[in-house]
Amino acid sequence: MSTAAYQTIAVGTAGGVCTVTLNRPESLNSLNDQLTTELANVIKQLKRDDRIRCVVLTGAGRAFCSGQDLGELKTKYSNPEFVPHLLDDLRRRYNPVITGLRDLEKPVIASLNGVAAGAGASIALACDMRIASEKASLIQVFINVGLVPDSASTFFLPRLVGLGKALELCFTGDKVGAEEALRLGLVNKVVPAEQLAAATSELANRLARLPTRAIGLTKRLLNRALNSDLEAQLDAEAFAQETAGQTADHREGVLAFFEKRPPSFQGK
């Protein structure tokens, strides 16, 4: 996978794990046009690269992502006649990132090294799992600038914490620290800051050794289940199981069970 063209993200691969680092630490990894474009592009590449079996998304410096780069809007908003049109901006820049993460049939871990605010929190919630440093926090800051949560925060947040708590967090813009995030189910694990990289690597490598096609099909089913009825979900499970049953990893898992040895999955 080519990474030379990227200027606002850093991409590294080792042992089937691809780590994508939002790399604008001077602005707390705020999201400008170039970063969202590069992030959407790398997600597309990861979807096609069979060598990658797990993805980690994190931030450089002391933040995961502070959300939209408001600095680049200062000149525009200084003009009293300026009228923002955010619909096209969301469809062009942010929505492809969110749908790309959800459609990526590989496990995606958000490694939260610091604050995840606004659309940065939305991106974290769109990942499959979240490991947080004890210094991390999540904030739905949209209300502070008179906007509504976007980039699928209104989709994932109530499903993770319930409607009442989601309304509270979106209405107030209150910061959720790492331990409270764990209690609410916003993150899967909290570790000391100095252990975040190691804990993330341990989980990522574990997932990368598992049957990737089965994980991808499971992710597809669980995504579908959010808006499905029982009969439709049973049918979807049956079709997915038919596909999984014909993979090399399924055969390897069964043979390893009979031969009383650890399976060696290849992601195929």
Side-chain angles (χ1 to χ4, degrees):
M1 183 169 58
S2 173
T3 62
Y6 298 127
Q7 298 178 22
T8 62
I9 61 175
V11 183
T13 303
V17 176
C18 180
T19 300
V20 180
T21 304
L22 308 182
N23 196 24
R24 300 185 71 223
E26 71 286 350
S27 67
L28 301 182
N29 303 314
S30 61
L31 300 163
N32 62 7
D33 191 83
Q34 185 174 11
L35 195 155
T36 51
T37 299
E38 292 184 355
L39 184 56
N41 286 343
V42 80
I43 291 170
K44 287 181 182 178
Q45 289 192 53
L46 290 168
K47 187 174 183 179
R48 297 190 295 262
D49 193 338
D50 292 337
R51 298 169 299 176
I52 303 302
R53 297 173 62 186
C54 182
V55 178
V56 172
L57 184 60
T58 191
R62 58 190 180 91
F64 176 76
C65 177
S66 59
Q68 168 64 33
D69 186 348
L70 296 179
E72 64 181 15
L73 302 177
K74 185 175 181 180
T75 301
K76 293 179 180 179
Y77 277 80
S78 297
N79 179 358
E81 297 183 0
F82 171 70
V83 178
H85 295 284
L86 302 179
L87 184 150
D88 289 339
D89 199 48
L90 285 169
R91 286 177 171 172
R92 177 177 61 85
R93 295 178 53 207
Y94 289 92
N95 294 1
V97 172
I98 301 303
T99 56
L101 289 171
R102 295 316 308 164
D103 292 342
L104 185 61
E105 295 197 345
K106 303 172 185 184
V108 182
I109 304 168
S111 184
L112 302 179
N113 53 305
V115 67
S122 301
I123 290 172
L125 296 181
C127 295
D128 302 319
M129 301 176 71
R130 286 155 292 282
I131 296 183
S133 155
E134 61 190 354
K135 297 180 180 179
S137 58
L138 295 98
I139 318 173
Q140 293 292 323
V141 295
F142 301 93
I143 198 67
N144 295 336
V145 290
L147 292 176
V148 303
D150 61 31
S151 303
S153 265
T154 62
F155 183 85
F156 293 113
L157 194 60
R159 286 166 169 80
L160 288 169
V161 304
L163 179 59
K165 192 65 180 180
L167 288 167
E168 175 191 334
L169 295 177
C170 292
F171 286 175
T172 65
D174 286 346
K175 179 188 292 187
V176 179
E179 290 298 336
E180 184 183 3
L182 180 64
R183 180 178 63 81
L184 292 175
L186 284 172
V187 302
N188 301 87
K189 187 176 184 179
V190 175
V191 297
E194 65 274 12
Q195 297 178 20
L196 179 63
T200 302
S201 178
E202 180 181 3
L203 177 60
N205 283 295
R206 176 185 176 188
L207 293 174
R209 292 191 296 267
L210 293 176
T212 310
R213 287 286 289 132
I215 286 180
L217 290 165
T218 300
K219 181 172 177 176
R220 187 192 303 179
L221 286 169
L222 292 174
N223 283 335
R224 180 189 178 114
L226 296 173
N227 297 289
S228 184
D229 59 42
L230 176 60
E231 292 301 323
Q233 196 64 18
L234 287 169
D235 201 39
E237 287 176 348
F239 277 105
Q241 199 71 296
E242 174 72 9
T243 300
Q246 296 177 30
T247 63
D249 279 346
H250 167 61
R251 181 176 180 83
E252 165 63 12
V254 172
L255 292 176
F257 175 81
F258 288 134
E259 296 168 8
K260 296 182 172 55
R261 59 173 176 80
S264 178
F265 296 122
Q266 303 299 312
K268 302 176 181 178

